[in-house]
Amino acid sequence: MKRKTRETNVTVELDVAGEIRTGDGVLDHMLTTLFFYMGREARVRASYDLRHHLWEDVGITLGGELRSKLPEKFARFGNAIVPMDDALVLVAVDVSGRPYVSAELTFEESEEGFEVSLVREFLWGLARSLKATIHVKTLSGVNVHHVIEATFKGLGLALGKAIGKSEKVESTKGLLEV
C-alpha cells in the first residue's frame, strides 16, 4: 500500500521481509515492535516533512494495507494487557467498520522523541483506514517510553487476534462493514 502526498511518501507492505525505515528512530522502533507482536513481517519506507504527518500517514497506510488483507471472515475483536517495567497498558480493538480512538496514555517522566500526540495521530490514522475502534488505557506507568512501547506491543497482539480468520461472520447482524 502506498500513500504519497505533498507532506509524505509512505509505503507499507505486509508479509514481506524487509526493513522498517521511516527516518524517525522512535517510529521505526515502535513499528518493529508492532509487527513482531502481530506475528507479521513488514517492509515500511517513508519520507516526510513533519513527524506529525509521518506518524499519521504511516497509520493511514498501515490501516489500508491491513484492511486489504482481511480474510473474508475474521475474528473482529482483539485485546491485550501488556506489562513493561513500570508500565501496564490495556489495548482493545474492534475491526467493525466504525473508526474511533480512545487513548488514555499517562506517565510521569518524559523522554526525548516519545510524544503522546504522535501516538494519537498514528492510532487515529490507523483506525480511520482500517475502520476499527481502538481503546488504549494506561493502567500504570511512570516512563513515557515504557508506556508507548507497551501500547505498541499490546496493539500488535490485539490486531493479530482481531484480523485472524474466523469460521463465521462475527456480528449478530450477519454483516460487518468493510
Side-chain angles (χ1 to χ4, degrees):
M1 182 77 47
K2 188 168 181 79
R3 176 178 173 82
K4 186 173 183 174
T5 71
R6 282 184 245 151
E7 301 166 337
T8 64
N9 186 355
V10 177
T11 303
V12 176
E13 298 171 277
L14 282 176
D15 306 321
V16 174
E19 291 182 305
I20 296 171
R21 279 210 215 137
T22 66
D24 181 325
V26 173
L27 182 56
D28 290 354
H29 177 40
M30 294 305 110
L31 290 173
T32 299
T33 299
L34 173 78
F35 294 126
F36 178 85
Y37 286 95
M38 194 187 306
R40 306 286 282 268
E41 289 188 287
R43 180 181 313 148
V44 181
R45 296 273 190 255
S47 59
Y48 64 98
D49 59 357
L50 301 172
R51 288 180 78 208
H52 175 105
H53 297 148
L54 172 67
W55 284 64
E56 179 181 26
D57 284 11
V58 168
I60 290 168
T61 309
L62 174 58
E65 177 74 350
L66 286 168
R67 181 152 279 287
S68 75
K69 295 190 179 281
L70 281 175
E72 185 178 333
K73 296 175 183 173
F74 55 93
R76 178 181 172 182
F77 299 105
N79 60 71
I81 298 175
V82 176
M84 182 175 169
D85 301 334
D86 55 282
L88 182 62
V89 177
L90 176 141
V91 180
V93 174
D94 175 8
V95 182
S96 64
R98 293 186 294 270
Y100 179 79
V101 172
S102 173
E104 296 179 30
L105 297 164
T106 57
F107 54 90
E108 297 171 25
E109 299 172 354
S110 60
E111 185 175 323
E112 186 178 345
F114 289 85
E115 299 175 31
V116 170
S117 63
L118 296 176
V119 176
R120 282 194 182 99
E121 289 305 318
F122 174 85
L123 292 172
W124 269 109
L126 177 66
R128 283 193 311 268
S129 58
L130 181 55
K131 298 181 182 175
T133 296
I134 302 170
H135 286 267
V136 178
K137 185 169 183 73
T138 306
L139 302 176
S140 67
V142 174
N143 180 279
V144 67
H145 182 153
H146 299 159
V147 169
I148 290 174
E149 188 166 345
T151 297
F152 275 80
K153 287 177 179 180
L155 184 61
L157 291 166
L159 283 171
K161 293 174 190 174
I163 64 177
K165 288 184 181 180
S166 177
E167 295 297 316
K168 62 182 180 181
V169 174
E170 296 293 338
S171 172
T172 57
K173 297 176 188 175
L175 174 71
L176 283 172
E177 296 175 42
V178 283

mmCIF file of all heavy atoms in Angstrom, residues 7-8 48-55:
data_model
loop_
_atom_site.group_PDB
_atom_site.id
_atom_site.type_symbol
_atom_site.label_atom_id
_atom_site.label_comp_id
_atom_site.label_asym_id
_atom_site.label_seq_id
_atom_site.Cartn_x
_atom_site.Cartn_y
_atom_site.Cartn_z
ATOM 1 N N GLU A 7 3.189 16.088 1.693
ATOM 2 C CA GLU A 7 3.828 16.054 3.015
ATOM 3 C C GLU A 7 4.607 14.771 3.292
ATOM 4 O O GLU A 7 5.582 14.796 4.031
ATOM 5 C CB GLU A 7 2.759 16.225 4.103
ATOM 6 C CG GLU A 7 1.995 17.526 3.962
ATOM 7 C CD GLU A 7 0.731 17.586 4.790
ATOM 8 O OE1 GLU A 7 0.173 16.524 5.139
ATOM 9 O OE2 GLU A 7 0.298 18.704 5.080
ATOM 10 N N THR A 8 4.152 13.665 2.712
ATOM 11 C CA THR A 8 4.788 12.370 2.978
ATOM 12 C C THR A 8 4.785 11.491 1.735
ATOM 13 O O THR A 8 4.007 11.699 0.798
ATOM 14 C CB THR A 8 4.050 11.580 4.085
ATOM 15 O OG1 THR A 8 2.737 11.262 3.624
ATOM 16 C CG2 THR A 8 3.992 12.344 5.391
ATOM 17 N N TYR A 48 9.253 12.392 4.761
ATOM 18 C CA TYR A 48 8.243 13.280 5.338
ATOM 19 C C TYR A 48 8.792 14.675 5.578
ATOM 20 O O TYR A 48 10.009 14.888 5.599
ATOM 21 C CB TYR A 48 7.737 12.698 6.659
ATOM 22 C CG TYR A 48 8.796 12.611 7.736
ATOM 23 C CD1 TYR A 48 8.898 13.601 8.710
ATOM 24 C CD2 TYR A 48 9.699 11.551 7.778
ATOM 25 C CE1 TYR A 48 9.876 13.531 9.705
ATOM 26 C CE2 TYR A 48 10.661 11.472 8.769
ATOM 27 C CZ TYR A 48 10.748 12.465 9.722
ATOM 28 O OH TYR A 48 11.712 12.399 10.697
ATOM 29 N N ASP A 49 7.852 15.607 5.810
ATOM 30 C CA ASP A 49 8.248 16.957 6.195
ATOM 31 C C ASP A 49 8.198 17.119 7.716
ATOM 32 O O ASP A 49 9.161 17.555 8.327
ATOM 33 C CB ASP A 49 7.399 18.012 5.478
ATOM 34 C CG ASP A 49 5.902 17.898 5.735
ATOM 35 O OD1 ASP A 49 5.455 16.965 6.442
ATOM 36 O OD2 ASP A 49 5.157 18.754 5.227
ATOM 37 N N LEU A 50 7.116 16.731 8.363
ATOM 38 C CA LEU A 50 6.942 16.860 9.807
ATOM 39 C C LEU A 50 6.631 15.499 10.427
ATOM 40 O O LEU A 50 5.921 14.685 9.813
ATOM 41 C CB LEU A 50 5.791 17.818 10.139
ATOM 42 C CG LEU A 50 5.912 19.251 9.607
ATOM 43 C CD1 LEU A 50 4.628 20.008 9.852
ATOM 44 C CD2 LEU A 50 7.095 19.959 10.244
ATOM 45 N N ARG A 51 7.105 15.262 11.638
ATOM 46 C CA ARG A 51 6.835 13.987 12.323
ATOM 47 C C ARG A 51 5.332 13.753 12.471
ATOM 48 O O ARG A 51 4.863 12.621 12.355
ATOM 49 C CB ARG A 51 7.507 13.959 13.696
ATOM 50 C CG ARG A 51 9.013 13.813 13.635
ATOM 51 C CD ARG A 51 9.635 13.784 15.012
ATOM 52 N NE ARG A 51 9.456 12.459 15.602
ATOM 53 C CZ ARG A 51 9.384 12.240 16.907
ATOM 54 N NH1 ARG A 51 9.455 13.231 17.772
ATOM 55 N NH2 ARG A 51 9.231 11.002 17.364
ATOM 56 N N HIS A 52 4.569 14.800 12.745
ATOM 57 C CA HIS A 52 3.120 14.684 12.873
ATOM 58 C C HIS A 52 2.529 14.046 11.614
ATOM 59 O O HIS A 52 1.741 13.096 11.687
ATOM 60 C CB HIS A 52 2.516 16.077 13.101
ATOM 61 C CG HIS A 52 1.026 16.103 13.129
ATOM 62 N ND1 HIS A 52 0.319 16.238 14.297
ATOM 63 C CD2 HIS A 52 0.102 16.009 12.145
ATOM 64 C CE1 HIS A 52 -0.971 16.236 14.024
ATOM 65 N NE2 HIS A 52 -1.128 16.103 12.725
ATOM 66 N N HIS A 53 2.919 14.537 10.443
ATOM 67 C CA HIS A 53 2.408 13.991 9.179
ATOM 68 C C HIS A 53 2.884 12.554 8.976
ATOM 69 O O HIS A 53 2.135 11.709 8.487
ATOM 70 C CB HIS A 53 2.860 14.857 8.004
ATOM 71 C CG HIS A 53 2.333 16.246 8.054
ATOM 72 N ND1 HIS A 53 3.032 17.322 7.562
ATOM 73 C CD2 HIS A 53 1.171 16.753 8.543
ATOM 74 C CE1 HIS A 53 2.331 18.421 7.741
ATOM 75 N NE2 HIS A 53 1.197 18.108 8.342
ATOM 76 N N LEU A 54 4.128 12.295 9.338
ATOM 77 C CA LEU A 54 4.671 10.939 9.185
ATOM 78 C C LEU A 54 3.879 9.930 9.994
ATOM 79 O O LEU A 54 3.428 8.911 9.463
ATOM 80 C CB LEU A 54 6.144 10.911 9.630
ATOM 81 C CG LEU A 54 6.772 9.510 9.710
ATOM 82 C CD1 LEU A 54 6.903 8.893 8.326
ATOM 83 C CD2 LEU A 54 8.122 9.576 10.416
ATOM 84 N N TRP A 55 3.713 10.181 11.288
ATOM 85 C CA TRP A 55 3.022 9.214 12.150
ATOM 86 C C TRP A 55 1.588 9.006 11.686
ATOM 87 O O TRP A 55 1.100 7.879 11.641
ATOM 88 C CB TRP A 55 3.085 9.666 13.609
ATOM 89 C CG TRP A 55 4.410 9.442 14.264
ATOM 90 C CD1 TRP A 55 5.610 10.024 13.931
ATOM 91 C CD2 TRP A 55 4.697 8.566 15.352
ATOM 92 N NE1 TRP A 55 6.597 9.559 14.761
ATOM 93 C CE2 TRP A 55 6.078 8.679 15.638
ATOM 94 C CE3 TRP A 55 3.914 7.716 16.126
ATOM 95 C CZ2 TRP A 55 6.692 7.959 16.661
ATOM 96 C CZ3 TRP A 55 4.529 7.001 17.164
ATOM 97 C CH2 TRP A 55 5.896 7.121 17.410
#
